[in-house]
């Protein structure tokens, strides 16, 4: 397997994950060849990312009208092994880098044989909903991101 350029040491990178959610592959997520369509992993990333952010209470209660909101600024996926309808994968997510108002999130999907099927990364920017401009993280948010290893999953 060719290692994507955002992963320096694959074994170290894998060991840093401590949070995952199970994803059941639905028929509607497959294509006419029977494997997961190339857009579906982005839905899995979103589901895992939201569960992760809720677990560490990064943004509190996100609902219409809140002042600080997370926005995806870029997202990529590398497909390593086919995934099929009826399978279940573990979708791992972690914070890889914390910036002033953004975080780099990494993803890893493993099948029931513990094989890595897909990996990815994306940048999430916290913006002020009234201005649409980047809004720095608070000290409390940075602490929550740094304490991510306390997650029991």
């Amino acid at each position: 397997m060719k290692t994507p350029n955002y992963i320096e040491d694959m074994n170290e990178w894998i060991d840093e994950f401590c949070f995952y959610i199970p994803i059941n592959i639905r028929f509607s997520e497959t294509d006419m060849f029977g494997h997961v369509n190339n857009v579906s992993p982005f839905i899995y990333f979103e589901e895992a990312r939201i569960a992760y952010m809720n677990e560490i209470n990064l943004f509190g209660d996100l609902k219409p009208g809140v002042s600080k909101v997370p926005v995806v600024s870029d997202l990529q996926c590398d497909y390593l092994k086919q995934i099929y309808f009826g399978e279940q994968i573990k979708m791992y997510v972690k914070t890889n880098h914390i910036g002033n108002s953004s975080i780099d999130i990494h993803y890893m999907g493993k099948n029931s044989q513990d094989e890595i099927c897909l990996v990815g990364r994306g940048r999430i920017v916290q913006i002020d909903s009234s201005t649409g401009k980047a809004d720095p993280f608070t000290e409390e948010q940075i602490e929550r991101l740094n304490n991510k290893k306390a997650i029991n999953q």
Side-chain angles (χ1 to χ4, degrees), residues 19-37:
F19 180 84
Y20 74 89
I21 62 168
I23 302 281
N24 293 312
I25 308 303
R26 297 173 292 230
F27 180 77
S28 63
E29 298 164 343
T30 62
D31 60 22
M32 64 187 217
F33 302 109
H35 57 79
V36 167
N37 185 283

Side-chain angles (χ1 to χ4, degrees), residues 14 22 30 40 54 60 62-63 65 71 79 89 100 107 141 147 151:
I14 292 168
T30 62
S40 296
N54 285 339
L62 282 177
K63 56 185 172 186
V71 175
Y79 308 91
I89 61 170
N100 185 46
Y107 307 91
Q141 286 176 304
N147 288 331
I151 297 171

